[in-house]
Amino acid sequence: MTQNGIVLVVSATIFKNDEVLIIKENKPIAVDQWNFPGGRIEFGEDILLAACREVKEETGLSVELLNSTGIYNFISSTGNQVILFHFTGEISAGTLNIEEEKIIDSRWVEISEILNFDNKELRNANVIKQIVNNLIDRNFHSINIVNPQLRNK
């Protein structure tokens, strides 16, 4: 969702055993750059449902969200202010099936390996590395931080 140059997005680190899933999107603004599955929140959409939807659209995987690593605020390469809600999750159903029109590659990697990537290989490298450091340090927050009154019903 974009309003007044502010873009609201979600992304998720999907765990499988000791590895996490990274993807390369087929977008001119992110050519040959790795990222976590994610995308824009649609108008009126629940943030947690948006994260699950984006993962499913990009990977074919259904996920159960477990935690959040935080909310990240940065200026994108296109000059928009981005507010990113990042979550962790695990596969609840499906098999990896990337839609080649949107995603050109995917890999399962050890989380610490991402810190060795050159910044040019990562989309919004500073943010990705902040997320990775939070993952390594297990600096997690409850997903109930998002709409807690809705989660308790």
Side-chain angles (χ1 to χ4, degrees):
M1 183 170 106
T2 305
Q3 182 176 350
N4 299 325
I6 298 173
V7 182
L8 300 176
V9 296
V10 290
S11 67
T13 299
I14 308 306
F15 287 93
K16 184 175 97 172
N17 301 320
D18 293 331
E19 296 182 315
V20 298
L21 181 64
I22 56 175
I23 60 167
K24 276 188 186 178
E25 296 172 278
N26 189 16
K27 292 182 179 177
I29 59 171
V31 173
D32 288 326
Q33 293 181 317
W34 293 101
N35 199 1
F36 295 109
R40 293 182 183 212
I41 300 168
E42 295 177 359
F43 181 78
E45 186 176 29
D46 178 90
I47 294 169
L48 299 175
L49 294 177
C52 292
R53 176 186 53 77
E54 283 291 342
V55 169
K56 178 81 169 174
E57 287 178 4
E58 293 187 343
T59 69
L61 299 170
S62 295
V63 295
E64 177 185 350
L65 299 179
L66 304 172
N67 300 293
S68 172
T69 65
I71 300 168
Y72 305 83
N73 183 7
F74 59 97
I75 304 299
S76 71
S77 61
T78 58
N80 288 312
Q81 179 180 359
V82 176
I83 300 173
L84 167 67
F85 300 84
H86 185 82
F87 301 98
T88 66
E90 58 187 24
I91 300 168
S92 60
T95 56
L96 184 60
N97 183 20
I98 61 171
E99 185 180 323
E100 292 178 10
E101 187 176 301
K102 291 182 177 184
I103 308 299
I104 57 174
D105 200 1
S106 66
R107 284 176 40 190
W108 290 97
V109 299
E110 291 186 19
I111 191 67
S112 61
E113 185 181 334
I114 298 172
L115 292 175
N116 296 326
F117 284 39
D118 186 278
N119 284 355
K120 293 176 188 168
E121 295 178 277
L122 300 171
R123 185 170 182 190
N124 303 304
N126 290 337
V127 176
I128 296 290
K129 289 185 176 182
Q130 285 177 41
I131 291 169
V132 168
N133 283 320
N134 281 330
L135 291 165
I136 291 169
D137 294 342
R138 301 195 55 77
N139 185 14
F140 299 139
H141 309 280
S142 170
I143 60 173
N144 288 336
I145 196 168
V146 179
N147 298 329
Q149 67 279 10
L150 297 177
R151 307 286 165 247
N152 295 327
K153 291 184 178 179

